[in-house]
Structure formats: C-alpha cells, structure tokens
Amino acid sequence: MSPKPLEGIRVIDLCVVWAGPFATMLLGDLGAEVIKPENPFVFQPMTRGAMARPPQILLERSIAWSGGLPRNEVGPRPWNYNPTFVSLYRNKKSFTVDLRRPEGKDILRRLVAISDVVYENNAVGTLEKLGITEEWLRDANPRLIIVRVPAYGLTGPYREARALGVHLEAVMGHTLLRGYDDADPSANTAIYSGDYMAGAQGAFAVMAALWYRDRTGEGQTIEIAQAENAAAMFTHAIMDYSMNRNVQSAIGNRDVHGRYPCGVYPAKSPGDATTMDDHWIAIHIENDAQWQQLVEAMGSPAWALDPRFATNEGRAAHFREIDAGIAEWTRERDDYEMMHLLQARGIAATPVLEASRMFDDPHLRARDFFKKQTVRDAGTHEYVGPLWKFEKTPVEFYQPPVCFGEHNEYVYRELLKVSDSEYEALKAGGHIAEEYDPSVP
C-alpha cells in the first residue's frame, strides 16, 4: 500500500478551540504525525470542554454538542470525551508538559528541532508571554513552517481582541446578513463556520509551504487572519457594494440572485413541533420551467396556476404568497419523499437535517461517512470520518480521539530520547501526567 499523503511530516499542535484543531485534524487525516503538547496545570476552555471537572448541573444545562457527555454522566476523565474535543482530535498524539517552566520550554524546543510545522491559533501575545516567539522557534529549527491564525491579524487595532466564530461574524457584519428580514440580528442562532473555513485554508497553506520547502529548502511563517479569511462567507455582498454601492440586507433563505421561489419549508414531523424532530425541506426554483414542474408536483392547485406567477418577475413580487402556498403542501408530506419526487423533476430539493438524522441518511451511509471509534472511559461510538477517499493512498482513522497524555512515553522516550533520570524528574515535577492537576477545576 502507498504511504499516506503527508506521511513523514511532523506537526506540533499548539491550538485551541476549533479553528486551529480542525486544520491539524485535516493534516493528521492525510497522514502527518500531529503532536499536541498539553499542560496538566492549565485548562484551555472550549478545547477539551468548558471545565476539566464540570459539575453535574453544568452538564444538565449545556448544549449537547458542546457539553454533552456519554450517558449524561461527568465520569472520571471528562476531558477525554467532551464532544468539542473528540470531533477534532482523531489522528493526533498527546503528551503533557508545563511550558511555563524552563525545563518544559526546553522540551518543546527539542521537539521543534525535529518537527516540520508549528501551528497555533491562540490569542495574540499568548505564546510571546511564554517566550515562544517566531525568532525562538526559528532558532530551534531554521526550516520550520510556522502557521499563526489570530482572530483579526497580528497587527492593527483589533490585534488583541479575543474571538470565537460568532464574534468574527458580528464584527465583520455577517450577522446583519444571516437572518430573516423581519427579525432583529439578535434573534440569530450562533454559528462557527469561520473556524472551519480558517482550518481548511490553514491545512492547504501548510501543504503549499511544504511543497515550497521541498523545492527551496526554506521554511516560512504564514499568518491567516480568521476575519479576513471568513469574508468568503459573504463575498457577494462585498462585491455588490464595491461594484454597485448596494448595501445588502438579510433575506432569510431566499436566493441572493433573485430566483423565486427559494426557501425552507415545513415537512411532516413525527413528533411535536416544539421538539427537535420537526422536519424541513429546502426547495429552490431556478427558472420558469422548473416552476411549472413544481406546480404539477403539487397537483396543480388553483393558487399556483395564477398567471402572476408564470414568470420569475411575477414570483419575485409575490414570493410571500407563494411561500405560504408551498408550505401548505409540504407540511403534510415526508421530507425525503418530497426530495425524491422533486429531484426526479429536475428541481433542487433536500431535507434539512439536524445532526441526529444524519446517521440515518442513506447517502451518507452509502459514502461510508461515519466511522466507529472506541474512546477510553466513553465506549464505542460513530464519528464523522475523514473528508476524502483516494484511490491509491489511505486516508483513515488510525488514532481514536486522543486521551490526555496518551503518548507521553512515545514523545519523551522515543522521539526526544530523554534518560530515565530526566523522565522521572519531569514526572515528579508534574510535567508528565494523564490527568489534570487537582488544582484545575
């Protein structure tokens, strides 16, 4: 079997939350050896969860995707199976070290010297306070590729601003566009797509830098400002203003190019609409011929035969009336049945799936989208698998979501060749551990 695409490349993951860890996960999926140093005395919020040892009441009041735990129990090591962690830390290795102390910083320096990439997305100034500057890293390894992914860039008036994806949205104005025209932006639910866009671009940047280093022998520093990168979420609005001086506003689920109807409509639900099992279907009509196909699929109701709706211009003028009519037809029908019915007529239509329904989606099952993995103290569950399938090189789960300090022996003894006495001294000093220090809440 051919080697993995990035086999032989070592990446040091100094990342937090999502934007950085998603990038290093992609690199790990492609075969890079991704090593994450973790501090037993410092808990990084929203990386291995909100707290190292959350109280049961916090678990009961948390959103499942960020604070839910197996069997709804905190368990002995919740940091190893918090959902925000296990979704991003497959195909990685974890070792523990306190980078605040000289001996811990020396361990990192020795690891940098035998690595190819250092990737970080901490708040600006975090690493500098530890003495881990670009000059320090470059001195340890002149060929190193350094990737920094700050929220708003390393320079400028926003450089020190802290941010999650939802903050990026608000500062950039995406929140003003992503919503309904009859609702205030504060009614929007939070999304974090900026994190994942930064991660995808960052992984690509690493591969481009490796390609360049193979040809020149030179490393480089890459800066990816998450806010700048996330502008791709609303490029149409930026271009419309730049070229036409039009200021776009929120339009809900309608087509930004003005093709009608386009929306998300209620479908038949098996339970109470106040629960999470309410179903929806997205339908998009792109031309007059497709509109006629939709009318026929709905059984040619009298309202849909109105000549006002025969052209896109007419449908645009009366889209709310049309949306109400379509909703009356969709709400009594199964979303998948409608999808097949409409797609057979050349109409873009698909169910809108909340996360739990993805596991039953025939298309995702046919694509082998989910993979079973066993996590210590949490059992065996299905996870979203790698995003690619290559004909000649494997892309697979070869390391389950990594446990805290799981690879201490490998990093210290095999990679860094520390002596038995040094290993024991580091262990006695608390650097080497498989649990957070009791002082960490």
Side-chain angles (χ1 to χ4, degrees):
M1 183 177 289
S2 301
K4 301 178 183 71
L6 292 181
E7 193 165 325
I9 298 299
R10 181 173 295 129
V11 178
I12 301 177
D13 178 336
L14 295 176
C15 302
V16 293
V17 196
W18 287 345
F22 181 60
T24 53
M25 184 195 76
L26 297 179
L27 297 173
D29 288 350
L30 291 169
E33 181 180 64
V34 179
I35 299 178
K36 180 168 181 60
E38 303 196 75
N39 194 329
F41 301 96
V42 178
F43 191 82
Q44 296 174 315
M46 298 312 300
T47 301
R48 280 189 176 266
M51 300 174 64
R53 299 174 176 88
Q56 185 68 29
I57 190 171
L58 178 62
L59 173 61
E60 294 168 356
R61 296 182 180 181
S62 294
I63 301 172
W65 58 261
S66 66
L69 296 174
R71 299 175 295 278
N72 292 319
E73 299 173 354
V74 173
R77 301 179 182 87
W79 52 80
N80 282 339
Y81 39 83
N82 180 276
T84 60
F85 184 81
V86 297
S87 63
L88 294 169
Y89 277 88
R90 65 172 182 250
N91 293 344
K92 299 182 182 182
K93 295 180 171 71
S94 166
F95 85 104
T96 58
V97 63
D98 186 354
L99 296 178
R100 301 171 302 172
R101 290 184 270 169
E103 66 272 22
K105 189 176 169 186
D106 179 64
I107 289 295
L108 178 64
R109 182 184 180 90
R110 289 154 67 179
L111 184 60
V112 169
I114 58 173
S115 298
D116 300 281
V117 180
V118 169
Y119 202 114
E120 71 93 13
N121 69 307
N122 296 272
V124 175
T126 300
L127 294 185
E128 285 79 2
K129 291 175 183 177
L130 295 171
I132 304 173
T133 62
E134 180 181 342
E135 293 72 24
W136 185 87
L137 292 167
R138 191 74 62 202
D139 182 65
N141 186 343
R143 285 168 47 87
L144 190 68
I145 295 166
I146 304 169
V147 185
R148 307 195 66 181
V149 192
Y152 303 105
L154 297 173
T155 58
Y158 286 89
R159 65 181 298 272
E160 295 183 353
R162 273 58 173 160
L164 296 176
V166 67
H167 305 127
L168 296 173
E169 269 205 287
V171 169
M172 298 180 69
H174 188 223
T175 304
L176 299 175
L177 298 174
R178 187 185 60 82
Y180 296 98
D181 56 5
D182 60 350
D184 185 88
S186 63
N188 290 350
T189 54
I191 66 170
Y192 304 89
S193 52
D195 293 81
Y196 293 97
M197 295 181 71
Q201 293 286 5
F204 173 79
V206 167
M207 290 186 279
L210 289 169
W211 181 89
Y212 179 82
R213 193 183 68 175
D214 285 345
R215 284 150 182 77
T216 66
E218 299 178 4
Q220 60 182 280
T221 298
I222 301 167
E223 177 190 345
I224 302 175
Q226 294 179 47
E228 185 178 51
N229 186 71
M233 291 191 291
F234 51 103
T235 305
H236 57 281
I238 296 173
M239 293 183 66
D240 196 14
Y241 179 77
S242 299
M243 300 175 67
N244 307 313
R245 289 298 183 262
N246 291 332
V247 178
Q248 293 192 7
S249 58
I251 60 173
N253 293 302
R254 301 198 301 276
D255 180 4
V256 69
H257 300 293
R259 295 170 295 188
Y260 292 88
C262 176
V264 173
Y265 306 93
K268 187 177 182 179
S269 299
D272 191 306
T274 62
T275 66
M276 286 300 292
D277 60 0
D278 54 323
H279 295 177
W280 300 80
I281 184 169
I283 301 173
H284 188 192
I285 298 300
E286 300 181 73
N287 52 52
D288 296 343
Q290 288 185 9
W291 167 248
Q292 293 303 319
Q293 288 292 325
L294 176 61
V295 171
E296 293 177 14
M298 293 189 296
S300 300
W303 70 264
L305 299 176
D306 191 317
R308 295 178 301 163
F309 308 153
T311 65
N312 188 72
E313 182 179 12
R315 293 191 296 274
H318 305 283
F319 72 90
R320 296 189 191 279
E321 182 180 347
I322 294 173
D323 282 348
I326 295 174
E328 285 301 310
W329 178 72
T330 61
R331 72 175 70 252
E332 300 301 325
R333 289 165 175 79
D334 177 80
D335 48 6
Y336 274 95
E337 291 180 3
M338 287 187 287
M339 178 192 76
H340 292 301
L341 172 67
L342 297 179
Q343 286 188 4
R345 289 176 172 269
I347 298 170
T350 187
V352 179
L353 302 181
E354 51 96 359
S356 67
R357 295 187 70 205
M358 293 173 62
F359 291 93
D360 298 319
D361 182 75
H363 180 74
L364 294 179
R365 285 296 176 188
R367 297 286 296 172
D368 199 22
F369 190 69
F370 300 101
K371 302 289 185 181
K372 285 187 177 181
Q373 290 286 274
T374 301
V375 179
R376 186 193 309 171
D377 300 325
T380 301
H381 301 277
E382 288 189 307
Y383 297 84
V384 173
L387 305 182
W388 310 280
K389 287 186 177 182
F390 298 144
E391 182 179 351
K392 296 182 179 180
T393 53
V395 179
E396 57 189 342
F397 271 12
Y398 51 88
Q399 165 66 51
V402 63
C403 291
F404 187 74
E406 184 174 348
H407 298 92
N408 282 330
E409 289 274 337
Y410 169 75
V411 172
Y412 281 105
R413 295 192 185 276
E414 292 188 38
L415 291 186
L416 301 182
K417 311 295 185 185
V418 302
S419 65
D420 289 345
S421 59
E422 184 181 7
Y423 187 87
E424 291 304 320
L426 289 167
K427 190 172 182 179
H431 291 279
I432 300 174
E434 290 190 358
E435 296 189 0
Y436 283 96
D437 187 79
S439 64
V440 178

